[in-house]
Amino acid sequence: MSKTSASQTPAPTPQPGSPSGGDPASQGLAHGLKQRHLSMIALGGVIGAGLFVGSGAGIAQAGPSIIIAYALSGLLVMLVMRMLGEMSAANPASGTFSVHAERAIGPWAGFASGWIYWFLLCVVVGLEGIGAAKIMVGWLPGTPEWAWVALFTVAFCAANLAAVKNFGEFEFWFAALKVGAIVLFLGIGVLAITGLLPGGGEAPGTANLTGEGGFLPNGTEGLVFGLLASVFAYGGLETVTIAAAESEHPVRGVAKAVRTAMWRIAIFYVGSMAVVVTLVPWDDPKVVEQGPYVATLDHLGIPAAGEIMNVVILIALLSAMNANIYAASRMSCSLVGRGQGPRALGRLHKGVPMTAVVVSSGFGFLCVLLSYWRPDDVFMWLLNMIGAIILVVWFFVGVSQLILRRRTEREDPSRLVVRMWLYPGLTWAALVAMVGVFVLMAREGETRTQLYYTGVLTVGLVVVGVIRQRLSTRRT
């Protein structure tokens, strides 16, 4: 498809029975993912290294009220997932929200939301590689970090080049291990809270929840910091809607993943935070230094807790690398298929966008090299630019769903296999909540910088997208 013809109008409305009518690229992709792959991708997609390690900073600021912070941000994420699920079940596409934004708002919106997400994924691939490499260097001192990152990048690049089922198998087992670790942690925590854990001491009661400054030890400011930290810990749930386009039963797969999102978030995130702050004093330095999970297991006297969690964190990081290389390649391939990028990235070989996989992996590794070459300027710019991208993407999701729901009800209501709750009220509520998070970010020094850099990148891509759209219209 030529660039001109693909960018003249929004992506076409899918025809009944077409799994990816709005995404030309999806039609050439292999459908090698099974339902078990999708189910485990959906489960594992919400369990990242940010939960295992990054949540410690939120606890240190919010104290026990981190439970409320994760519950509030989790509620927002549930609404976003429901909106995204409604659109993806009606029109499964590897370009997911970018395709929906193009159909709802226009080609410029699909261009901006798609490429900003691709940029986020590639930078995060590098960051996750660095995190995984640090763990390996801790186990094998003297080995260079960049070599470990290179090894991981090549391995997952090769896995994604071979066939989509390879990505599915990697994620299936990675997710199974992560889910198993969380379930085991929650089980141990519940036994300790009830005083039934052998050697775990007496039940702590509410001492850690109400002592040491109370439930809100740092007031509402601490809660705000915890809320901001928790919002961005949920990134990754979008992968299942991308992967659904290459599954055996796209509509059924998306519908099932979305419907189970609520209990996954409640159990894995909110439940974990409740266990941690109930068992361990929120101001214990180990919560930040070692991470909340290691601190909790150490507190309970679990032997080798640190090494056990390092293995789990390594798996979480590698899982995220694998998933992000996959998602970045599919997003860029989808954009190219709609005339929104260099044609070379959209070339398929046996249903795999090989060029997109290699370029996405290479960009991620370049970010790692920049952390050595230009750590104080270019690399820091990259980190600040990705700070609020996921929230920008969610905003596009909300606006798109607001428009497409009305259009789908008018044209083909049978495609609404998944429906947003209390539409349009909850959609508007979610959009207002996102604006509220932007405002909170603008109030804090560190997050204000991230908001500024992300804003500049977003506006730049929107301007390019609008110019491309107008030039295409003039040529027509």
PDB file of all heavy atoms in Angstrom, residues 362-384:
ATOM      1  N   GLY A 362      17.593  -3.014  18.017  1.00  0.00           N
ATOM      2  CA  GLY A 362      18.793  -2.198  17.875  1.00  0.00           C
ATOM      3  C   GLY A 362      18.665  -0.844  18.541  1.00  0.00           C
ATOM      4  O   GLY A 362      19.606  -0.354  19.174  1.00  0.00           O
ATOM      5  N   PHE A 363      17.476  -0.223  18.425  1.00  0.00           N
ATOM      6  CA  PHE A 363      17.261   1.068  19.073  1.00  0.00           C
ATOM      7  C   PHE A 363      17.341   0.922  20.591  1.00  0.00           C
ATOM      8  O   PHE A 363      17.898   1.780  21.280  1.00  0.00           O
ATOM      9  CB  PHE A 363      15.901   1.635  18.673  1.00  0.00           C
ATOM     10  CG  PHE A 363      15.681   3.057  19.120  1.00  0.00           C
ATOM     11  CD1 PHE A 363      16.089   4.115  18.327  1.00  0.00           C
ATOM     12  CD2 PHE A 363      15.087   3.333  20.335  1.00  0.00           C
ATOM     13  CE1 PHE A 363      15.899   5.434  18.743  1.00  0.00           C
ATOM     14  CE2 PHE A 363      14.887   4.640  20.768  1.00  0.00           C
ATOM     15  CZ  PHE A 363      15.294   5.694  19.960  1.00  0.00           C
ATOM     16  N   GLY A 364      16.793  -0.168  21.111  1.00  0.00           N
ATOM     17  CA  GLY A 364      16.872  -0.421  22.544  1.00  0.00           C
ATOM     18  C   GLY A 364      18.307  -0.556  23.004  1.00  0.00           C
ATOM     19  O   GLY A 364      18.696  -0.010  24.048  1.00  0.00           O
ATOM     20  N   PHE A 365      19.139  -1.280  22.229  1.00  0.00           N
ATOM     21  CA  PHE A 365      20.538  -1.452  22.612  1.00  0.00           C
ATOM     22  C   PHE A 365      21.303  -0.138  22.476  1.00  0.00           C
ATOM     23  O   PHE A 365      22.220   0.149  23.259  1.00  0.00           O
ATOM     24  CB  PHE A 365      21.199  -2.537  21.755  1.00  0.00           C
ATOM     25  CG  PHE A 365      22.583  -2.900  22.225  1.00  0.00           C
ATOM     26  CD1 PHE A 365      22.775  -3.510  23.454  1.00  0.00           C
ATOM     27  CD2 PHE A 365      23.689  -2.615  21.446  1.00  0.00           C
ATOM     28  CE1 PHE A 365      24.054  -3.834  23.900  1.00  0.00           C
ATOM     29  CE2 PHE A 365      24.966  -2.942  21.877  1.00  0.00           C
ATOM     30  CZ  PHE A 365      25.153  -3.550  23.113  1.00  0.00           C
ATOM     31  N   LEU A 366      20.909   0.704  21.498  1.00  0.00           N
ATOM     32  CA  LEU A 366      21.537   2.019  21.360  1.00  0.00           C
ATOM     33  C   LEU A 366      21.309   2.857  22.614  1.00  0.00           C
ATOM     34  O   LEU A 366      22.208   3.582  23.058  1.00  0.00           O
ATOM     35  CB  LEU A 366      20.956   2.743  20.138  1.00  0.00           C
ATOM     36  CG  LEU A 366      21.426   4.189  19.933  1.00  0.00           C
ATOM     37  CD1 LEU A 366      22.930   4.239  19.696  1.00  0.00           C
ATOM     38  CD2 LEU A 366      20.680   4.833  18.754  1.00  0.00           C
ATOM     39  N   CYS A 367      20.129   2.746  23.209  1.00  0.00           N
ATOM     40  CA  CYS A 367      19.845   3.470  24.448  1.00  0.00           C
ATOM     41  C   CYS A 367      20.789   3.027  25.560  1.00  0.00           C
ATOM     42  O   CYS A 367      21.218   3.842  26.392  1.00  0.00           O
ATOM     43  CB  CYS A 367      18.389   3.238  24.874  1.00  0.00           C
ATOM     44  SG  CYS A 367      17.176   3.942  23.731  1.00  0.00           S
ATOM     45  N   VAL A 368      21.128   1.736  25.573  1.00  0.00           N
ATOM     46  CA  VAL A 368      22.077   1.221  26.568  1.00  0.00           C
ATOM     47  C   VAL A 368      23.456   1.846  26.341  1.00  0.00           C
ATOM     48  O   VAL A 368      24.116   2.290  27.292  1.00  0.00           O
ATOM     49  CB  VAL A 368      22.173  -0.312  26.485  1.00  0.00           C
ATOM     50  CG1 VAL A 368      23.243  -0.834  27.434  1.00  0.00           C
ATOM     51  CG2 VAL A 368      20.834  -0.947  26.803  1.00  0.00           C
ATOM     52  N   LEU A 369      23.889   1.892  25.097  1.00  0.00           N
ATOM     53  CA  LEU A 369      25.192   2.486  24.789  1.00  0.00           C
ATOM     54  C   LEU A 369      25.220   3.962  25.171  1.00  0.00           C
ATOM     55  O   LEU A 369      26.244   4.469  25.658  1.00  0.00           O
ATOM     56  CB  LEU A 369      25.499   2.311  23.301  1.00  0.00           C
ATOM     57  CG  LEU A 369      25.658   0.862  22.815  1.00  0.00           C
ATOM     58  CD1 LEU A 369      25.965   0.826  21.322  1.00  0.00           C
ATOM     59  CD2 LEU A 369      26.760   0.144  23.594  1.00  0.00           C
ATOM     60  N   LEU A 370      24.101   4.658  24.964  1.00  0.00           N
ATOM     61  CA  LEU A 370      24.033   6.074  25.328  1.00  0.00           C
ATOM     62  C   LEU A 370      24.153   6.263  26.835  1.00  0.00           C
ATOM     63  O   LEU A 370      24.619   7.306  27.297  1.00  0.00           O
ATOM     64  CB  LEU A 370      22.719   6.682  24.829  1.00  0.00           C
ATOM     65  CG  LEU A 370      22.623   6.894  23.314  1.00  0.00           C
ATOM     66  CD1 LEU A 370      21.217   7.328  22.927  1.00  0.00           C
ATOM     67  CD2 LEU A 370      23.649   7.937  22.855  1.00  0.00           C
ATOM     68  N   SER A 371      23.747   5.255  27.618  1.00  0.00           N
ATOM     69  CA  SER A 371      23.889   5.350  29.066  1.00  0.00           C
ATOM     70  C   SER A 371      25.361   5.339  29.472  1.00  0.00           C
ATOM     71  O   SER A 371      25.715   5.794  30.574  1.00  0.00           O
ATOM     72  CB  SER A 371      23.146   4.206  29.764  1.00  0.00           C
ATOM     73  OG  SER A 371      23.819   2.963  29.581  1.00  0.00           O
ATOM     74  N   TYR A 372      26.239   4.823  28.593  1.00  0.00           N
ATOM     75  CA  TYR A 372      27.682   4.848  28.835  1.00  0.00           C
ATOM     76  C   TYR A 372      28.322   6.071  28.184  1.00  0.00           C
ATOM     77  O   TYR A 372      29.182   6.728  28.766  1.00  0.00           O
ATOM     78  CB  TYR A 372      28.341   3.584  28.280  1.00  0.00           C
ATOM     79  CG  TYR A 372      27.938   2.312  28.983  1.00  0.00           C
ATOM     80  CD1 TYR A 372      27.021   1.436  28.412  1.00  0.00           C
ATOM     81  CD2 TYR A 372      28.489   1.964  30.222  1.00  0.00           C
ATOM     82  CE1 TYR A 372      26.651   0.259  29.048  1.00  0.00           C
ATOM     83  CE2 TYR A 372      28.137   0.793  30.863  1.00  0.00           C
ATOM     84  CZ  TYR A 372      27.215  -0.058  30.273  1.00  0.00           C
ATOM     85  OH  TYR A 372      26.854  -1.215  30.912  1.00  0.00           O
ATOM     86  N   TRP A 373      27.909   6.368  26.936  1.00  0.00           N
ATOM     87  CA  TRP A 373      28.537   7.442  26.177  1.00  0.00           C
ATOM     88  C   TRP A 373      28.097   8.834  26.641  1.00  0.00           C
ATOM     89  O   TRP A 373      28.914   9.718  26.785  1.00  0.00           O
ATOM     90  CB  TRP A 373      28.218   7.293  24.682  1.00  0.00           C
ATOM     91  CG  TRP A 373      28.753   6.041  24.072  1.00  0.00           C
ATOM     92  CD1 TRP A 373      29.786   5.269  24.520  1.00  0.00           C
ATOM     93  CD2 TRP A 373      28.291   5.409  22.868  1.00  0.00           C
ATOM     94  NE1 TRP A 373      29.990   4.200  23.687  1.00  0.00           N
ATOM     95  CE2 TRP A 373      29.092   4.259  22.656  1.00  0.00           C
ATOM     96  CE3 TRP A 373      27.290   5.694  21.941  1.00  0.00           C
ATOM     97  CZ2 TRP A 373      28.909   3.407  21.569  1.00  0.00           C
ATOM     98  CZ3 TRP A 373      27.108   4.861  20.855  1.00  0.00           C
ATOM     99  CH2 TRP A 373      27.908   3.717  20.665  1.00  0.00           C
ATOM    100  N   ARG A 374      26.782   9.008  26.833  1.00  0.00           N
ATOM    101  CA  ARG A 374      26.237  10.324  27.191  1.00  0.00           C
ATOM    102  C   ARG A 374      25.257  10.190  28.360  1.00  0.00           C
ATOM    103  O   ARG A 374      24.067  10.469  28.216  1.00  0.00           O
ATOM    104  CB  ARG A 374      25.540  10.957  25.977  1.00  0.00           C
ATOM    105  CG  ARG A 374      26.403  11.075  24.725  1.00  0.00           C
ATOM    106  CD  ARG A 374      27.543  12.062  24.920  1.00  0.00           C
ATOM    107  NE  ARG A 374      27.049  13.411  25.110  1.00  0.00           N
ATOM    108  CZ  ARG A 374      26.831  14.269  24.113  1.00  0.00           C
ATOM    109  NH1 ARG A 374      27.056  13.897  22.854  1.00  0.00           N
ATOM    110  NH2 ARG A 374      26.398  15.487  24.370  1.00  0.00           N
ATOM    111  N   PRO A 375      25.738   9.772  29.518  1.00  0.00           N
ATOM    112  CA  PRO A 375      24.824   9.489  30.642  1.00  0.00           C
ATOM    113  C   PRO A 375      24.157  10.733  31.225  1.00  0.00           C
ATOM    114  O   PRO A 375      23.075  10.638  31.808  1.00  0.00           O
ATOM    115  CB  PRO A 375      25.737   8.819  31.672  1.00  0.00           C
ATOM    116  CG  PRO A 375      27.097   9.353  31.371  1.00  0.00           C
ATOM    117  CD  PRO A 375      27.141   9.519  29.883  1.00  0.00           C
ATOM    118  N   ASP A 376      24.820  11.895  31.107  1.00  0.00           N
ATOM    119  CA  ASP A 376      24.321  13.085  31.796  1.00  0.00           C
ATOM    120  C   ASP A 376      23.441  13.981  30.937  1.00  0.00           C
ATOM    121  O   ASP A 376      22.799  14.889  31.464  1.00  0.00           O
ATOM    122  CB  ASP A 376      25.505  13.910  32.329  1.00  0.00           C
ATOM    123  CG  ASP A 376      26.343  13.130  33.333  1.00  0.00           C
ATOM    124  OD1 ASP A 376      25.749  12.344  34.101  1.00  0.00           O
ATOM    125  OD2 ASP A 376      27.575  13.284  33.322  1.00  0.00           O
ATOM    126  N   ASP A 377      23.422  13.770  29.637  1.00  0.00           N
ATOM    127  CA  ASP A 377      22.569  14.629  28.804  1.00  0.00           C
ATOM    128  C   ASP A 377      21.615  13.812  27.938  1.00  0.00           C
ATOM    129  O   ASP A 377      20.415  13.748  28.220  1.00  0.00           O
ATOM    130  CB  ASP A 377      23.407  15.589  27.951  1.00  0.00           C
ATOM    131  CG  ASP A 377      24.600  14.901  27.290  1.00  0.00           C
ATOM    132  OD1 ASP A 377      24.537  13.689  27.039  1.00  0.00           O
ATOM    133  OD2 ASP A 377      25.592  15.589  27.011  1.00  0.00           O
ATOM    134  N   VAL A 378      22.131  13.139  26.904  1.00  0.00           N
ATOM    135  CA  VAL A 378      21.246  12.438  25.971  1.00  0.00           C
ATOM    136  C   VAL A 378      20.445  11.343  26.670  1.00  0.00           C
ATOM    137  O   VAL A 378      19.225  11.232  26.488  1.00  0.00           O
ATOM    138  CB  VAL A 378      22.056  11.831  24.794  1.00  0.00           C
ATOM    139  CG1 VAL A 378      21.112  11.072  23.852  1.00  0.00           C
ATOM    140  CG2 VAL A 378      22.794  12.923  24.035  1.00  0.00           C
ATOM    141  N   PHE A 379      21.121  10.536  27.491  1.00  0.00           N
ATOM    142  CA  PHE A 379      20.416   9.439  28.169  1.00  0.00           C
ATOM    143  C   PHE A 379      19.370   9.983  29.142  1.00  0.00           C
ATOM    144  O   PHE A 379      18.270   9.446  29.250  1.00  0.00           O
ATOM    145  CB  PHE A 379      21.422   8.547  28.907  1.00  0.00           C
ATOM    146  CG  PHE A 379      20.805   7.308  29.507  1.00  0.00           C
ATOM    147  CD1 PHE A 379      20.261   6.325  28.702  1.00  0.00           C
ATOM    148  CD2 PHE A 379      20.768   7.125  30.884  1.00  0.00           C
ATOM    149  CE1 PHE A 379      19.687   5.185  29.234  1.00  0.00           C
ATOM    150  CE2 PHE A 379      20.195   5.990  31.438  1.00  0.00           C
ATOM    151  CZ  PHE A 379      19.649   5.020  30.609  1.00  0.00           C
ATOM    152  N   MET A 380      19.706  11.045  29.856  1.00  0.00           N
ATOM    153  CA  MET A 380      18.741  11.651  30.771  1.00  0.00           C
ATOM    154  C   MET A 380      17.557  12.244  30.021  1.00  0.00           C
ATOM    155  O   MET A 380      16.420  12.213  30.494  1.00  0.00           O
ATOM    156  CB  MET A 380      19.415  12.731  31.629  1.00  0.00           C
ATOM    157  CG  MET A 380      20.359  12.190  32.689  1.00  0.00           C
ATOM    158  SD  MET A 380      19.576  10.941  33.762  1.00  0.00           S
ATOM    159  CE  MET A 380      18.230  11.885  34.472  1.00  0.00           C
ATOM    160  N   TRP A 381      17.818  12.794  28.833  1.00  0.00           N
ATOM    161  CA  TRP A 381      16.709  13.300  28.010  1.00  0.00           C
ATOM    162  C   TRP A 381      15.756  12.155  27.664  1.00  0.00           C
ATOM    163  O   TRP A 381      14.535  12.309  27.719  1.00  0.00           O
ATOM    164  CB  TRP A 381      17.238  13.936  26.730  1.00  0.00           C
ATOM    165  CG  TRP A 381      18.092  15.139  26.948  1.00  0.00           C
ATOM    166  CD1 TRP A 381      18.180  15.904  28.081  1.00  0.00           C
ATOM    167  CD2 TRP A 381      19.027  15.707  26.017  1.00  0.00           C
ATOM    168  NE1 TRP A 381      19.091  16.911  27.916  1.00  0.00           N
ATOM    169  CE2 TRP A 381      19.628  16.830  26.660  1.00  0.00           C
ATOM    170  CE3 TRP A 381      19.404  15.402  24.710  1.00  0.00           C
ATOM    171  CZ2 TRP A 381      20.591  17.621  26.033  1.00  0.00           C
ATOM    172  CZ3 TRP A 381      20.347  16.205  24.076  1.00  0.00           C
ATOM    173  CH2 TRP A 381      20.936  17.290  24.738  1.00  0.00           C
ATOM    174  N   LEU A 382      16.335  11.012  27.296  1.00  0.00           N
ATOM    175  CA  LEU A 382      15.504   9.854  26.950  1.00  0.00           C
ATOM    176  C   LEU A 382      14.644   9.438  28.147  1.00  0.00           C
ATOM    177  O   LEU A 382      13.447   9.170  27.999  1.00  0.00           O
ATOM    178  CB  LEU A 382      16.383   8.683  26.507  1.00  0.00           C
ATOM    179  CG  LEU A 382      17.123   8.835  25.180  1.00  0.00           C
ATOM    180  CD1 LEU A 382      18.035   7.638  24.950  1.00  0.00           C
ATOM    181  CD2 LEU A 382      16.144   8.968  24.016  1.00  0.00           C
ATOM    182  N   LEU A 383      15.259   9.374  29.327  1.00  0.00           N
ATOM    183  CA  LEU A 383      14.522   8.961  30.526  1.00  0.00           C
ATOM    184  C   LEU A 383      13.385   9.934  30.832  1.00  0.00           C
ATOM    185  O   LEU A 383      12.273   9.521  31.176  1.00  0.00           O
ATOM    186  CB  LEU A 383      15.462   8.882  31.730  1.00  0.00           C
ATOM    187  CG  LEU A 383      16.543   7.797  31.689  1.00  0.00           C
ATOM    188  CD1 LEU A 383      17.320   7.786  33.006  1.00  0.00           C
ATOM    189  CD2 LEU A 383      15.942   6.422  31.441  1.00  0.00           C
ATOM    190  N   ASN A 384      13.650  11.226  30.697  1.00  0.00           N
ATOM    191  CA  ASN A 384      12.613  12.213  30.985  1.00  0.00           C
ATOM    192  C   ASN A 384      11.500  12.193  29.936  1.00  0.00           C
ATOM    193  O   ASN A 384      10.334  12.390  30.258  1.00  0.00           O
ATOM    194  CB  ASN A 384      13.233  13.615  31.062  1.00  0.00           C
ATOM    195  CG  ASN A 384      13.973  13.853  32.368  1.00  0.00           C
ATOM    196  OD1 ASN A 384      13.545  13.415  33.425  1.00  0.00           O
ATOM    197  ND2 ASN A 384      15.109  14.529  32.303  1.00  0.00           N
TER     198      ASN A 384
END
